[in-house]
Amino acid sequence: QVLTKIIGNKRVQIDDKNIISSGFPNIDISNFYYEIISSEDTNLISICRKSHVDEIIQRYISNKLNVIDFSLGNSKISSAIEFIEEPNFYTSNAMIELSNQTISSIKIIND
């Protein structure tokens, strides 16, 4: 349910809306949650429909679990990159390639 794109950061992006529209043109961002991880060379953009995320959060709440934060797709891995020494590594559903301590690609693995 999460779409992720990596786009070059060759020109200066003014704000989140410009970054998102460069990766997902003509999207109505009011219907989506998004997360942007920026580096010097790239922007990692992940989006998911608000209705889908809200439904999942409601399931947690109905089971008396509090949600204090969420991250979309493999975006959260960016906070651990400085500790990863390998150029390629795997998460539960993707192979992530690094270049100069920056995510250069995310390849979804379908079982």
Side-chain angles (χ1 to χ4, degrees), residues 40-58:
E40 288 183 25
D41 301 328
T42 60
N43 288 304
L44 173 70
I45 308 163
S46 296
I47 63 171
C48 187
R49 288 200 178 275
K50 287 182 177 181
S51 58
H52 182 70
V53 174
D54 292 343
E55 181 182 316
I56 293 170
I57 291 172
Q58 283 304 315

Side-chain angles (χ1 to χ4, degrees), residues 11-79:
R11 59 185 174 181
V12 175
Q13 302 293 342
I14 304 300
D15 59 19
D16 288 355
K17 288 183 181 182
N18 286 339
I19 294 170
I20 293 166
S21 67
S22 65
F24 299 96
N26 302 318
I27 193 171
D28 181 3
I29 196 61
S30 65
N31 293 322
F32 291 85
Y33 287 118
Y34 63 89
E35 189 168 14
I36 300 170
I37 307 298
S38 296
S39 70
E40 288 183 25
D41 301 328
T42 60
N43 288 304
L44 173 70
I45 308 163
S46 296
I47 63 171
C48 187
R49 288 200 178 275
K50 287 182 177 181
S51 58
H52 182 70
V53 174
D54 292 343
E55 181 182 316
I56 293 170
I57 291 172
Q58 283 304 315
R59 279 192 247 150
Y60 279 105
I61 291 170
S62 69
N63 286 302
K64 298 184 171 115
L65 296 169
N66 295 321
V67 176
I68 57 172
D69 195 11
F70 65 90
S71 191
L72 299 174
N74 288 291
S75 300
K76 196 63 172 172
I77 199 69
S78 66
S79 62

